[in-house]
Amino acid sequence: MIYLHDRDIVEIGIDWPRLIEIIENVVKIKAEGDCVHPLKPYLRFRDPGNRIIAMPAFVGGSINMAGIKWIASYPDNIRLGLPRAHNTMILNDPATGEPAAFIHSGLLSALRTAAVSGSMIKAFTSSRPSNQLRLGIIGWGPVGRNHLEMCIALLGDKLKRISLYDLMPIDLDTVPEAVRARTAIADDWRQVYQDADIFITCTVSNHRYIDEPPGKGALLLNVSLRDYKPESAAHLQAIVVDDWQEVCRENTDMEQLHLQYGLQESGVITLEDVICHDGLAALSKEEPVFFNPMGLAVFDIGIAALYLQEALRSGKGILLGNDA
């Protein structure tokens, strides 16, 4: 099998439109019933703030790949100078079960996360066209930075203003040069939240802090899933999830809305509804859209399968033998 690392992913390249297209394709394959993704278990021991998550899945259709993602999330790693997340994946040939690739890449996980957000942004901006978009991102770690890169590739000159906020100081030199002149570093999250058409939370916050309703017509990408106090989102009508069973647990904002305000599966829109059935079209243009993606293994398998295909085509990675 092939071994791939972050450096191989970088050398193969990051094509955001293609990655977003992969996510859309997986959603359509899933809608056709040719995907399997059991509810992912969380392994916790000793420090309850840490977790290792197992994410097995099969994606059929044109992707035709099985595998498992095994990702460790240790929020305090930043104090040790280590990445918060350590991501590994094994891909298996679905016909024989033979291992096809072993991937050790935190970047790959960040790419999947941003590409899923990109699929939602693409659908949102198609239903509400605008050439004057204000983007706000809270959290300037790898996930936040990849989200900005994705938005630049997807939205281009439609991005008129970008606002960033993090608890740690943000060096403007870490912002891509192409948008640096359009970027402001805020000193409070509220500045970012109140002044964004597209607002993205990419934090590792261990407490909810967003305590006010969003602006009219905004797209809220709740990537980190635990930033909104329930009362701030309790009256929203357009709540989108990737999968209700996955996201309504593990103390997510969706679970809190379910427990405290009675939100039910029947009261949400799915990403499948949005991508396959134009699920945003019937909404008022002033209605905020609140997207809560728990992260599905089928998306990881789809993205990883693309990089395996490109690695084999370009000769990247290390071939691991199976000799005894």
Side-chain angles (χ1 to χ4, degrees):
M1 61 179 167
I2 299 289
Y3 171 77
L4 299 175
H5 191 264
D6 275 348
R7 61 180 174 270
D8 302 304
I9 305 303
V10 171
E11 288 175 3
I12 290 169
I14 300 169
D15 182 340
W16 287 111
R18 190 176 184 191
L19 294 178
I20 292 168
E21 185 179 332
I22 289 288
I23 299 300
E24 294 170 330
N25 190 27
V26 171
V27 172
K28 293 170 184 175
I29 293 170
K30 184 173 181 291
E32 293 167 357
D34 202 17
C35 285
V36 178
H37 57 102
L39 198 67
K40 54 192 180 187
Y42 285 61
L43 175 64
R44 289 188 171 91
F45 50 91
R46 296 178 178 164
D47 184 345
N50 300 330
R51 59 189 184 271
I52 309 178
I53 309 170
M55 300 170 61
F58 163 73
V59 181
S62 59
I63 293 173
N64 195 39
M65 185 63 66
I68 186 167
K69 176 179 180 177
W70 178 242
I71 182 164
S73 177
Y74 281 56
D76 287 341
N77 272 2
I78 189 171
R79 299 176 185 174
L80 305 174
L82 296 172
R84 174 189 63 84
H86 296 276
N87 178 53
T88 56
M89 295 185 68
I90 296 174
L91 298 181
N92 298 80
D93 183 329
T96 66
E98 292 179 286
F102 178 79
I103 304 171
H104 179 202
S105 173
L107 175 59
L108 198 68
S109 187
L111 296 183
R112 179 273 282 167
T113 303
V116 171
S117 295
S119 71
M120 189 68 204
I121 292 173
K122 184 177 173 182
F124 178 83
T125 53
S126 294
S127 69
R128 303 180 186 184
S130 174
N131 291 318
Q132 300 284 329
L133 291 169
R134 300 166 298 169
L135 173 67
I137 299 175
I138 295 182
W140 194 235
V143 174
R145 296 182 192 201
N146 276 283
H147 270 78
L148 179 55
E149 295 277 5
M150 176 273 295
C151 287
I152 293 168
L154 183 61
L155 301 173
D157 291 339
K158 295 178 182 178
L159 278 178
K160 296 304 178 184
R161 189 160 71 245
I162 299 162
S163 299
L164 306 176
Y165 174 73
D166 195 284
L167 291 175
M168 301 295 290
I170 298 176
D171 184 346
L172 194 58
D173 287 343
T174 62
V175 175
E177 187 175 359
V179 297
R180 207 169 288 163
R182 290 176 267 165
T183 301
I185 310 301
D187 54 19
D188 185 86
W189 66 265
R190 289 177 178 83
Q191 298 170 1
V192 181
Y193 183 59
Q194 295 167 350
D195 194 36
D197 302 305
I198 300 173
F199 174 74
I200 312 175
T201 53
C202 301
T203 76
V204 291
S205 178
N206 59 7
H207 71 281
R208 293 174 170 87
Y209 56 92
I210 297 176
D211 56 3
E212 52 192 69
K216 291 181 179 180
L219 173 61
L220 314 171
L221 296 171
N222 189 18
V223 174
S224 38
L225 290 169
R226 299 169 185 89
D227 293 74
Y228 289 80
K229 292 187 176 181
E231 58 269 23
S232 69
H235 303 294
L236 297 180
Q237 300 301 307
I239 297 176
V240 183
V241 301
D242 52 3
D243 184 280
W244 173 260
Q245 296 301 324
E246 283 285 8
V247 79
C248 189
R249 63 193 186 112
E250 290 292 327
N251 191 34
T252 63
D253 295 336
M254 286 295 92
E255 184 180 36
Q256 292 307 310
L257 285 172
H258 170 66
L259 295 174
Q260 296 187 39
Y261 288 90
L263 179 67
Q264 301 294 327
E265 183 174 5
S266 59
V268 303
I269 304 167
T270 66
L271 190 58
E272 179 183 322
D273 294 329
V274 170
I275 290 175
C276 300
H277 308 295
D278 201 12
L280 301 181
L283 299 174
S284 162
K285 303 303 182 187
E286 293 192 347
E287 182 68 41
V289 176
F290 188 38
F291 181 42
N292 294 263
M294 188 66 155
L296 302 184
V298 288
F299 297 141
D300 292 280
I301 297 298
I303 297 294
L306 170 66
Y307 277 96
L308 172 58
Q309 171 188 317
E310 290 301 310
L312 293 172
R313 183 187 63 78
S314 62
K316 302 294 183 184
I318 299 172
L319 180 62
L320 304 178
N322 59 0
D323 293 338

